[in-house]
Amino acid sequence: MTREDTLPTRPMPKAPTTKVDFNSLKAPSGYAPGSKAGGNEESALDETKFDEFMGNDAGVFASTGEYDEDDKEADAVWEQVDNFMDERRREAREKRLKEELERYRAENPKITEQFADLKRKLADVSSEEWEAIPEIGDYTVKKRRVERFAPVPDSLLARAAAEATGAGGSKQAIDPASGLASVGFGGLTTPLGGATSTVSDLTAIGTGRGTVLGLKLDRMADSVSGQTVVDPKGYLTDLKSIKISTDAEISDIKKARHLLKSVIQTNPRHAPGWIAAARLEEVAGKLVDARKLIMQGCELCPNSEDIWLEAARLQTPDNAKALLARGVAQLPESTKLWMAAAKLETDDTAKARVLRKALERIPTSVRLWKAAVELAEEDDARILLSRAVECCPQAVELWLALARLETYENARKVLNNARKAVPTEPAIWITAAKLEEAHGAEQGTVDKIVGRAIKSLSTNGVVIHRDAWIKEAENAERSTPSPHVLTCRAIVKNVCSLGVDAADLEATITADAEESAKRGSVETARALYAQALATFPSQAHIWRAAASLEKSHGTRAQLDELLRRAVTFCPQAEVLWLMAAKEAWLGGDVDGSRAILARAFAANPDSEQIWLAAFKLEFENNEPERARALLAKARENEAASSYPRVWMKSAIVERELGDADKERQLLEEGIRRFPTFEKFYLMLGQLEQRAGNVDGARTAYRNGLARCPNCIPLWRSAARLEEEAGGGVARARALLEQARLRNPHSPELWLAAIRTEQRAGNEKAAEVALAKALQDCPTSGPLWAEAIAAAPRPARRSKATDALKRCDNDPHVVAAVAQLFWADRKVEKARSWFNRAVTLNPDLGDHWAHFYKFECQFGTQEQQAEVSSRCVAAEPHHGERWVRVAKDIKNAHQPTDVVLRRTVQDIDTLPPP
């Protein structure tokens, strides 16, 4: 749409048909000869209306010259069209720019990237090879002319001056070659320096300058030869202490001085004005003037303790003592002045004397009493505190301090008197409970004291804050020299349910217990769990949380007792039975573990978990015959025989015992009963592979893939079989492509394809597969880790950066970055990244193995033992190499630390699976 489209249509004027005689026409009204055409000023062109874009409105566009809403809408439409076309071209333009930039970077790599591998090789250069490198000379020196200048010696200058003046004004000339020839005009010669001037001995000047410098250096040296008395640090400190005031600061100080002068003159009884004026002079470096001002303020404002304290601060210690003596004489009730006077004393006896005088004047000052008690011996402190609680009966700190110094009987009396004097203070009751606990009181007695405290405080109008009391329980647990556990439990028992709705009580108590455990207050958390279990004994999750706490912080006896009670209250909770049996087994009590599992069978006769736990107990204790009998009994049980894992474990036992026919029979029966359980097909295929029956293994895998097409391990095992059985890489590649069609976006299948190409030596095909894999699964940690390992050494860092951007917290990528630091021998960074990797996912055994290998190379024995113990505690079950080692028949029943070391050997000797 253009502007012409918006103009109104007009009929074209018709040509005249008759000839018009203009001379016979009358002139328009108002026409004046010599004026503009028509004589109408409104029809004349107005130059002020001319617009650079629109032109003059008086022309043909006079009726439509204004920029109206239609024009604005038309421009908006065209702008949208332009934006739309630009947006369509933007993606192609940006893609083209990106490709050009990548092509430029590939053709013009940075210098650091080109020489990165050479720089790393410098680390292997020995010192002898380094010394043997020849020095390159600057051969361009011979090609350019070098101008050299030598300074004229002082003796030559002195001799020339002497020759110029030695003849008594006669005409002498200096050798022109020396550059000191006299300038002569008309036979007259002006000698150097004038005929009558005194010739300075330049050598003497140099000698004198050296003498002056030597004197200055001698001042800075003591009698010890070669040693200086200048402390470099102190010298620099002195230089920093020198204040250099700028002009602006001086101007500000003058303005402030003038202002404060008017303040103290207007109101000379205003102490803050005098203090401010004195501090201003102190800042300006005029300490004497500051002292004079503050002394004038003391004379005019003797009742202000702040001005006396400021005056004492500005004076020397001896003068400050005398000044404070005047101050306390003027203000005997000022605690601050007495405390300042005591601080000025260097001897404890003198301080105590000052404080006693102060207490004679101010017996109700708690601050003075506390200062005096801190300086006194134990017996004197007891006497002072006895007097202090009489003078300050509301000071709880003094009551508690006196109770700590008294004997048990006297302490009880002191606390009773304190409770009567301050009936609203909880600390007195808590101290009483701690006192009883410290002297052998039972839990019931301490509970009674805390209960009476809650009741008494509530009667006296004190609001009981539940969180504050739980904090007091934690403080009681952490008290020194010995923790007050009974007091902690009593507080928790009496306050854990205060102000909490019944519907929220369970969640609130368990949440408080978890928070206390995080803060390290184990006894408080244990007491909270005990109250929760007493209120909700049938909640299995509370028992599990309490058992976890005991396992982490308690003893084995406490854990066994807790689990015994747990299975009593929750007999249907299989997890509690399994925890009890496992803890008994770990404690070495195999018979006790069997007894627990027997009771568990009685309570849960059809539980798959308990059947498998009983099998594991016998199997891990090298009792395969008992395990076989137990599983045979389970297969005969109607309920247990419906669990596929029972049949799988039965096959594992037969494999352990070496009975291949029985194992095959069990697996075939398991497939018949559970045709969609993929592990049966995997185990059967592996059995046939061990027996050398490739066709049987291929049939097993084919049947498994027909029933379980989404099982990734089945596809990988079938492809590996084709690769190793002579089918070549082509059949394995075809199988993996078929697997990816059935299971798109699977990093495991892409990784298997990449490894297949690498084992076949097709590095180019492996790179292509890796690139496609990263496009298909851009956030896969294992694929990025493989990309980092497969990249050329100079490009690994950039590849690691891209991987961290895509998946920052993936343990595979973090472990790959740690191996990069390991290769660069950045030990601390590598250790930090390995630690991060095993923390993100402690179930990956491969990362533990790499970490342990790293510590074996760079760490100490303690660090190696720490990694091994952490791995044993984590009990990893996954990882490509870890699974290959752990499921090897030769490594059956081996502990975790042995599997860890054998996985390290696998890393050193074998390629990844």
Side-chain angles (χ1 to χ4, degrees), residues 46-227:
D46 189 358
E47 296 296 336
T48 61
K49 294 183 179 181
F50 181 79
D51 184 73
E52 293 180 359
F53 177 71
M54 296 292 297
N56 201 308
D57 283 347
V60 69
F61 299 106
S63 61
T64 59
E66 296 180 357
Y67 187 81
D68 53 7
E69 294 297 323
D70 293 334
D71 297 332
K72 187 183 298 183
E73 182 180 359
D75 291 341
V77 170
W78 280 109
E79 185 177 0
Q80 292 177 2
V81 171
D82 292 339
N83 293 337
F84 176 77
M85 297 301 296
D86 182 75
E87 185 66 24
R88 288 183 58 185
R89 301 187 187 99
R90 184 171 61 86
E91 295 180 359
R93 184 174 63 252
E94 291 179 353
K95 183 178 180 181
R96 185 176 66 256
L97 290 176
K98 184 177 180 181
E99 291 175 353
E100 291 177 357
L101 182 60
E102 291 177 353
R103 190 183 311 112
Y104 175 81
R105 289 179 176 174
E107 294 174 356
N108 301 281
K110 296 181 180 179
I111 298 298
T112 55
E113 295 178 356
Q114 295 178 3
F115 294 97
D117 52 343
L118 299 177
K119 289 173 65 177
R120 291 192 188 93
K121 291 181 181 178
L122 289 178
D124 300 329
V125 177
S126 62
S127 58
E128 292 78 12
E129 294 175 345
W130 186 267
E131 294 294 336
I133 297 176
E135 295 290 341
I136 183 66
D138 188 5
Y139 298 107
T140 61
V141 176
K142 299 179 179 179
K143 299 180 180 180
R144 64 172 182 261
R145 182 176 299 175
V146 180
E147 297 181 358
R148 293 184 177 88
F149 299 94
V152 180
D154 295 344
S155 59
L156 181 59
L157 296 176
R159 188 174 71 251
E163 292 174 355
T165 58
S170 62
K171 183 177 181 180
Q172 297 288 338
I174 301 177
D175 185 8
S178 65
L180 297 174
S182 301
V183 182
F185 295 95
L188 297 177
T189 301
T190 304
L192 180 66
T196 58
S197 61
T198 304
V199 179
S200 300
D201 191 350
L202 300 180
T203 304
I205 293 175
T207 305
R209 183 173 58 184
T211 304
V212 173
L213 180 60
L215 291 175
K216 290 183 179 179
L217 292 176
D218 291 340
R219 293 175 186 173
M220 300 172 63
D222 53 13
S223 59
V224 182
S225 61
Q227 294 185 358

Side-chain angles (χ1 to χ4, degrees), residues 327-345:
V328 296
Q330 185 68 33
L331 299 170
E333 306 295 329
S334 175
T335 303
K336 292 182 179 180
L337 292 180
W338 285 107
M339 290 295 297
K343 287 181 181 179
L344 288 176
E345 300 293 341

